[in-house]
Amino acid sequence: MTDSRYLKRTIVKEVIDSKFLGEQRSLRIYLPPGYNEILSYPVIYCQDGEEFFNYGRIATTANQLILDEGIDPFIVVGVEVDTKVRTAEYAPFGHRFEAYTSCFTQEIIPFVERNYPVRTQREERILAGDSLGGTVSLHLAMKNPELFSKIISLSGAFYIPTQELVVQESDLSGLSLYMIVGLQERDYQTDTGIYDFVELNRNTKALLEARGAKVHYLEKDGKHLWGFWQKELPEALMYFLK
């Protein structure tokens, strides 16, 4: 994507004070071509915000989809994270998980909705994340069905504690997920152990569907890397935005 139209991106950086986390949290906000505060826009909230922008090239991809593919303009909010506490915030067994999810729903979303013309209906908010970012996106949606209904999961790290929490749900028919995992992710080393991500995603898909969730599920050649996810991101975005 070297077309100069795609590279003329408007990205605003914001910082919020979080009482739940006891610190500041940075946001990157992509505004679409022709952005107008009088209008309203669907919004995508990305975990690992800096990686979605730097490695996923989501702003460039968004421009291409809007300018060439006829996708209606949308806003992207990337929520940044300190990699040293990423597992603590994104995994349901993490000691910062409750603080982070409270920050997300009670501080980040209200801040964005006060300052940007994003739509506030649950079906107009999309959660997106890679690996544990996909995990926390699922938990946010399960914990807050009035806020979220759509999730993009790129090689979600759906460990057993997450699967057990899915099992506790009786009705997830309000959820719609786009799930993709790479077939070369069967023996992946993480900070908590070695996991078969294909098996984790297959099992979680089955658990979600058994509880009524709509799941668009893909397995493709790919590793647990942004080189794989970046190529798959346009199709994932179009699934919910077209």
Side-chain angles (χ1 to χ4, degrees), residues 33 45 62 73 96 111 118 169-171 178 209:
Y45 289 95
R96 291 169 63 98
F111 173 85
V118 296
E169 300 287 338
S170 59
D171 181 8
Y178 184 101
E209 289 182 329

Side-chain angles (χ1 to χ4, degrees), residues 200-212:
L200 291 176
N201 277 265
R202 286 178 181 174
N203 292 344
T204 302
K205 168 188 179 289
L207 293 173
L208 290 166
E209 289 182 329
R211 286 150 185 81

Side-chain angles (χ1 to χ4, degrees), residues 27 154 199:
L27 310 176
L154 307 172
E199 198 65 25

Side-chain angles (χ1 to χ4, degrees), residues 181-240:
V181 65
L183 290 169
Q184 284 72 53
E185 298 185 59
R186 286 193 168 276
D187 190 28
Y188 185 72
Q189 176 76 54
T190 76
D191 60 343
T192 59
I194 298 174
Y195 297 94
D196 182 339
F197 272 73
V198 177
E199 198 65 25
L200 291 176
N201 277 265
R202 286 178 181 174
N203 292 344
T204 302
K205 168 188 179 289
L207 293 173
L208 290 166
E209 289 182 329
R211 286 150 185 81
K214 178 183 178 182
V215 182
H216 182 80
Y217 182 82
L218 298 169
E219 295 178 1
K220 294 186 179 182
D221 284 328
K223 298 180 180 180
H224 200 80
L225 297 167
W226 269 108
F228 170 49
W229 302 324
Q230 182 195 102
K231 292 185 294 184
E232 299 301 326
L233 193 53
E235 184 177 339
L237 293 171
M238 284 194 292
Y239 179 77
F240 286 124

Side-chain angles (χ1 to χ4, degrees), residues 89 96-106 136 140 143:
E89 291 186 355
R96 291 169 63 98
F97 177 78
E98 292 299 332
Y100 175 71
T101 53
S102 295
C103 168
F104 197 96
T105 57
Q106 298 182 48
V136 74
L140 280 164
K143 285 160 65 81

